[in-house]
Amino acid sequence: MDDLRRKKGLETKNRIRISTTTILAREGMSGLSAKKIADEAGISKSNLFHHFQSIDDILIDLFETITSEIGHALSNFKFKSLEEFFHMLGELTLQLSVEKEETFIAMFHYFNIALTNPNYKQRIVKLKQHLIKIFSDYILSIEPISHVTLTNITESIVITLDAFGMHYSLDRNKEKFMNQWKIQSDFYCHYLRNT
């Protein structure tokens, strides 16, 4: 009985995440309300607040889930070279921006609000730091790199992938994206090996 209750609770939390993402993508942060999220998820407001104390808690959970999914997606691969790693990052960015378009759009809405909201800004910085750590660990597993060089490049990778993903979302030209990403990733490989 407890397992069934736990499973149902996890399913409800996931519906809340999906509903929050949908509203964020469609209406931005100003469109979020407990009523809208509950209605979109097909649950009552009291059920929503049974799983999360506030909308802010939903957002924290949502973006921790997104970060975890990115790390999990990369963990399915073993990279033999930096070139292979960067190519996969490009492919993963394309996949996420297509398969999880709402999530991608929701992230940009959240990012825009974070520019003026210190609490949200702190979360975006935490997300960025987590991605930097994931990318650093993968790069170090492929080739030994100095700490300073690695820190400089991994932060640049996170920033660049955000921008590339956003621009890909505008024109949906995969070939153009991968060509531009190859130019960028060739620079990263050169920098990592020669600095």
Side-chain angles (χ1 to χ4, degrees):
M1 186 67 166
D2 282 347
D3 285 344
L4 185 60
R5 190 176 298 134
R6 190 173 302 122
K7 182 181 176 190
K8 187 172 175 161
L10 291 173
E11 288 170 357
T12 301
K13 282 182 93 167
N14 196 46
R15 284 201 339 257
I16 293 168
R17 281 185 206 108
I18 291 167
S19 298
T20 303
T21 302
T22 298
I23 295 165
L24 259 178
R26 190 175 55 220
E27 302 178 38
M29 291 289 286
S30 62
L32 281 183
S33 72
K35 180 175 179 3
K36 280 185 184 177
I37 295 169
D39 288 349
E40 185 80 28
I43 61 173
S44 67
K45 272 177 53 176
S46 62
N47 195 1
L48 181 134
F49 287 121
H50 171 76
H51 293 284
F52 295 98
Q53 290 182 354
S54 66
I55 291 176
D56 213 38
D57 285 344
I58 297 169
L59 291 170
I60 291 168
D61 178 78
L62 176 64
F63 291 106
E64 285 176 356
T65 301
I66 291 167
T67 308
S68 149
E69 285 176 2
I70 293 167
H72 180 72
L74 279 173
S75 70
N76 294 325
F77 302 98
K78 291 286 180 202
F79 304 105
K80 296 178 183 146
S81 68
L82 291 175
E83 289 80 5
E84 192 177 277
F85 170 71
F86 284 115
H87 178 78
M88 186 52 63
L89 276 183
E91 289 286 345
L92 184 58
T93 300
L94 288 176
Q95 180 183 344
L96 287 173
S97 66
V98 171
E99 291 177 9
K100 302 211 177 236
E101 183 175 24
E102 276 191 344
T103 303
F104 218 67
I105 294 167
M107 285 289 290
F108 284 111
H109 281 294
Y110 189 85
F111 183 84
N112 286 334
I113 294 296
L115 294 173
T116 57
N117 182 312
N119 290 332
Y120 294 163
K121 187 176 194 173
Q122 185 179 29
R123 287 190 203 119
I124 290 288
V125 169
K126 185 179 172 187
L127 170 66
K128 184 171 86 169
Q129 293 303 321
H130 186 72
L131 290 173
I132 286 169
K133 170 93 170 87
I134 290 170
F135 295 163
S136 294
D137 290 347
Y138 275 103
I139 290 170
L140 283 175
S141 74
I142 300 165
E143 291 188 25
I145 307 290
S146 80
H147 178 72
V148 172
T149 301
L150 191 59
T151 301
N152 289 337
I153 281 298
T154 49
E155 185 158 359
S156 178
I157 293 166
V158 172
I159 293 165
T160 304
L161 279 173
D162 279 349
F164 271 56
M166 182 179 67
H167 284 280
Y168 172 74
S169 296
L170 294 173
D171 67 13
R172 297 284 187 205
N173 186 332
K174 180 179 179 176
E175 184 179 348
K176 178 176 146 187
F177 174 92
M178 289 308 289
N179 286 338
Q180 291 171 342
W181 178 243
K182 178 154 183 4
I183 292 167
Q184 187 66 40
S185 58
D186 285 350
F187 163 77
Y188 289 145
C189 291
H190 176 76
Y191 183 89
L192 286 165
R193 290 177 175 138
N194 294 289
T195 304

